[in-house]
């Protein structure tokens, strides 16, 4: 049996399939997922599973170089924002207009993971990154300046 907490086979496959810069959206139960998207539907009932649980498991298995969310999340759901910032503390954070997440970004996502969350503006964009210290560990390689701070983290 697999080690680690994340048991969902399709979600494990999705994480393993992510390349640098690929986009995964982890969304609430009401997100309008495009018909053409790779959809992993984990929703069972309201708030099962919740965003915090799903994002926490993903954070343990996936390097998210950048995290994005709706520009109104800070004012309309600050507790969710606090959770996201804690789970992805080493990631760069940015905001987007909510309409762009629902349309343009949903169309660009490599995979969309639907939770049972009833969290307003609970649509979190995770951009896959690399484990910087491991990626630049071979003798003679030099990390670019934008990775300098991440080279010292262990």
């Amino acid at each position: 049996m697999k080690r680690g907490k994340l048991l969902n086979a399709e979600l494990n496959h999705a994480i393993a399939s992510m390349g640098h810069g690929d986009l995964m959206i982890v969304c609430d139960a009401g997100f309008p997922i495009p018909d053409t998207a790779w959809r992993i539907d984990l929703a069972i009932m309201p708030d099962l599973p919740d965003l915090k649980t799903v994002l926490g498991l993903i954070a343990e298995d996936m390097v998210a170089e950048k995290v994005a969310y709706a520009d109104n999340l800070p004012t309309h759901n600050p507790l969710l924002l606090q959770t996201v910032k804690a789970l992805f503390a080493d990631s760069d954070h940015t905001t987007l207009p909510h309409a762009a997440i629902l349309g343009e970004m949903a169309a660009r996502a490599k995979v969309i993971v639907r939770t049972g969350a009833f969290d307003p503006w609970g649509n979190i964009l995770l951009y896959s990154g690399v484990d910087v210290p491991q990626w630049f560990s071979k003798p003679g390689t030099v990390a670019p300046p934008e990775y300098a701070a991440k080279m010292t983290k262990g």
Side-chain angles (χ1 to χ4, degrees):
M1 186 168 186
K2 178 188 175 307
R3 292 184 190 266
K5 296 176 188 174
L6 185 57
L7 299 178
N8 184 280
E10 192 172 7
L11 186 50
N12 275 299
H13 173 69
I15 293 170
S17 299
M18 299 291 284
H20 193 189
D22 283 344
L23 172 61
M24 172 186 286
I25 297 177
V26 181
C27 65
D28 60 28
F31 191 83
I33 300 173
D35 291 338
T36 56
W38 177 7
R39 174 192 188 121
I40 300 176
D41 197 337
L42 304 177
I44 297 171
M45 60 184 283
D47 288 320
L48 188 60
D50 60 42
L51 272 169
K52 182 178 181 179
T53 300
V54 174
L55 288 169
L57 290 167
I58 292 170
E60 289 181 21
D61 275 4
M62 179 181 150
V63 176
E65 184 170 271
K66 183 171 81 170
V67 177
Y69 31 81
D71 54 7
N72 50 8
L73 184 64
T75 55
H76 294 346
N77 198 340
L79 293 178
L80 176 57
L81 179 59
Q82 182 180 354
T83 297
V84 170
K85 286 189 171 189
L87 289 171
F88 298 97
D90 292 336
S91 304
D92 295 329
H93 289 252
T94 190
T95 61
L96 296 166
H98 190 241
I101 294 171
L102 299 179
E104 174 187 344
M105 301 315 293
R108 280 194 203 169
K110 182 169 190 161
V111 61
I112 300 176
V113 180
R114 180 176 177 250
T115 69
F118 275 41
D119 276 306
W121 298 276
N123 308 306
I124 311 303
L125 288 70
L126 305 174
Y127 295 86
S128 183
V130 297
D131 181 329
V132 173
Q134 187 175 14
W135 196 254
F136 294 98
S137 66
K138 290 184 180 173
T141 59
V142 177
E146 61 268 24
Y147 290 145
K150 294 182 181 187
M151 285 299 293
T152 59
K153 295 185 179 184

